[in-house]
Amino acid sequence: MPDVEPFPVHDRDVTHVVVELFGGDNNLSAYVEEDLYEMAAGNRGPFAVLALVDRIDSGGAVIELTPRTGRRVVEELGEIDTGDPETLARFVARALVTYPAEVKLAIGFWDHGSGVFGEYDPNELLLARHFGSFPPVPRHRRPRSFRARRLLLGAWRRSADVRTRAMLHDDTNAGVLTNLEAGRMLAAAFARAGRTAKVDLLFSDTCLNGMVEVTQELAPYAEVIVASEELEPGDGWEYHEWFGRMSEAPPADGAAWGRQAVEGFGAAYAQRTDEHPCTLAAFRTENAIAEAFAGFVAEAGKLGRAGFDRLQRARARAQSFASDTDSYDLEDFMALLRRQRGASALRAAAERVIAAVRAARVANVALGPSVRRATGLAFWFPASLRAFETTIDTYARLAFAKRTSWADYLRAQFH
């Protein structure tokens, strides 16, 4: 048995557990409570929430939430840094051993998000596998959360390190969690817990993490991943919608669970057009997308500069997200490329990527005219040398970049 102490929860007789990492020690702090209340309001089944909660006005805590026992603080942790992978790995490892093996598990990230764009953490820690005041506006009117750069730190610290961005921002300790750190953190937590099986679901209540690169990085740890291609609305996920669907029809697997999350999100925002655009999608992690994309890169490479020009023309017309991210819908991009004349081998490779994306997709919702061609999974394609140079150093370290040679291909084209 692993030498990891389970949390002393009161209700272990549950069928599903949502393990959520609330990175609330920042300008989102006031909204942690709202989402915990939403979960409680929607949860009418044998389901539990086990949450790591950090706020800007108090220390960290582990909270248990079930219909039978209500809400209780399991442990007070004092000051913690949610951007520290070791803090997160300890919590996740203990959560993994707390419940019986047959319980279905979902792990969620809650905070700002930045996809893969210019990630930077000056205190990056890659774990081994072994051993204030808040916006005076209603929450739904809050600006969309994107690439927070220490929003509550003093100006001197922001100016000293303006590049720092990622997710699970901790403004007290100046910590962030990059995608590379997140993957290594989960690997360490699973190893410490002695867990070899994937959890059923991994989800991001963050902006812009619905990217093939993020999915690939986290794929070893979950059967299905749910995230948004676009910036999330101010309210983020409406948890009562998701938990209500769980209560009505307890999901049998990660695909059913992910579909309920997407459907609940869509139902919450369908009539709230002033908060559009918004997107959410669920994808199976066992898929052929990276393999198909690697074949596509190989075919593009054979065409030299003429091939890159083809790709750039498709990129310029593809469904994009946010304003300065160089994030494009993968299927839409490939569909545009497939319709170009000539280069039959490249077009065939694009068709194989489309087929792989469609086979992996569980559910997708895209609300608003500006995201009408969003199909659920974005990818990074820099539009300029400056954009390339801003992100390539961190991007090239990701699993997707290594598996597909996309970073190498872009480097060859931009230099």
Side-chain angles (χ1 to χ4, degrees):
M1 291 292 292
D3 187 22
V4 176
E5 180 184 2
F7 287 111
V9 298
H10 280 186
D11 192 354
R12 298 177 75 249
D13 187 20
V14 294
T15 60
H16 299 67
V17 177
V18 173
V19 176
E20 190 139 6
L21 308 172
F22 282 91
D25 192 346
N26 52 53
N27 68 327
L28 299 181
S29 187
Y31 310 119
V32 173
E33 285 299 314
E34 289 189 23
D35 282 351
L36 288 172
Y37 280 121
E38 286 180 4
M39 291 174 176
N43 189 359
R44 303 183 302 278
F47 315 126
V49 175
L50 189 64
L52 177 67
V53 172
D54 193 20
R55 304 180 187 85
I56 202 163
D57 56 350
S58 61
V62 177
I63 293 177
E64 177 188 15
L65 187 66
T66 75
R68 283 191 287 259
T69 62
R71 170 177 168 169
R72 59 181 292 269
V73 176
V74 177
E75 287 187 11
E76 294 280 5
L77 302 177
E79 181 56 45
I80 62 171
D81 181 358
T82 55
D84 179 2
E86 178 58 35
T87 297
L88 304 179
R90 286 197 298 266
F91 168 74
V92 174
R94 293 183 65 187
L96 290 174
V97 302
T98 295
Y99 297 92
E102 64 273 14
V103 170
K104 297 189 177 301
L105 290 173
I107 298 176
F109 296 96
W110 185 103
D111 183 30
H112 296 288
S114 63
V116 301
F117 309 107
E119 286 192 308
Y120 177 70
D121 181 358
N123 301 310
E124 183 177 67
L125 174 62
L126 302 180
L127 298 182
R129 291 175 180 268
H130 55 274
F131 294 106
S133 62
F134 308 104
V137 295
R139 185 183 178 198
H140 72 280
R141 296 298 184 190
R142 174 172 55 88
R144 292 170 184 245
S145 306
F146 170 52
R147 305 202 312 185
R149 301 182 183 183
R150 300 297 173 277
L151 294 180
L152 300 183
L153 291 182
W156 66 270
R157 187 178 294 184
R158 288 200 305 271
S159 63
D161 195 8
V162 297
R163 294 180 298 166
T164 303
R165 66 183 78 153
M167 60 181 175
L168 294 190
H169 301 73
D170 192 300
D171 282 349
T172 298
N173 299 286
V176 291
L177 187 75
T178 66
N179 285 299
L180 196 62
E181 285 180 319
R184 299 287 183 86
M185 178 275 290
L186 290 171
F190 276 53
R192 295 175 192 180
R195 187 182 181 98
T196 56
K198 296 181 177 185
V199 298
D200 298 271
L201 188 70
L202 194 151
F203 63 95
S204 292
D205 187 357
T206 65
C207 295
L208 301 172
N209 277 340
M211 301 190 71
V212 65
E213 296 91 345
V214 179
T215 299
Q216 185 70 42
E217 201 67 29
L218 305 181
Y221 314 107
E223 297 290 343
V224 172
I225 291 180
V226 179
S228 171
E229 291 181 280
E230 183 56 276
L231 302 177
E232 284 196 349
D235 277 355
W237 285 34
E238 297 285 8
Y239 285 96
H240 62 283
E241 291 279 359
W242 184 29
F243 275 74
R245 282 165 172 76
M246 290 163 50
S247 299
E248 294 169 4
D253 54 26
W257 213 352
R259 185 176 294 107
Q260 289 176 343
V262 174
E263 291 174 350
F265 185 91
Y269 287 105
Q271 305 305 318
R272 294 156 65 176
T273 57
D274 61 326
E275 296 183 68
H276 294 173
C278 48
T279 67
L280 198 69
F283 281 84
R284 298 178 183 86
T285 58
E286 294 294 331
N287 61 61
I289 297 174
E291 179 183 0
F293 195 92
F296 165 79
V297 172
E299 291 298 333
K302 294 175 184 178
L303 298 176
R305 186 66 192 183
F308 190 58
D309 289 344
R310 283 179 172 271
L311 269 59
Q312 287 282 32
R313 288 197 297 272
R315 180 203 56 76
R317 297 177 56 202
Q319 173 71 65
S320 62
F321 305 97
S323 60
D324 62 344
T325 63
D326 288 316
S327 177
Y328 301 92
D329 187 87
L330 180 56
E331 182 178 334
D332 187 55
F333 167 81
M334 292 294 174
L336 289 166
L337 194 65
R338 182 187 57 184
R339 291 198 289 269
Q340 293 179 1
R341 295 181 179 179
S344 59
L346 182 65
R347 291 162 55 207
E351 179 61 42
R352 288 190 288 273
V353 175
I354 292 172
V357 171
R358 291 176 176 175
R361 186 167 49 238
V362 173
N364 175 52
V365 63
L367 300 173
S370 66
V371 291
R372 66 183 183 278
R373 291 186 284 126
T375 64
L377 203 60
F379 80 116
W380 178 62
F381 191 163
S384 66
L385 175 61
R386 180 178 180 181
F388 168 81
E389 291 178 339
T390 298
T391 296
I392 189 60
D393 288 345
T394 52
Y395 185 89
R397 302 166 69 192
L398 297 175
F400 183 82
K402 294 177 180 178
R403 286 191 61 183
T404 65
S405 298
W406 180 234
D408 294 335
Y409 173 79
L410 291 172
R411 187 178 284 111
Q413 300 303 319
F414 279 108
H415 290 104

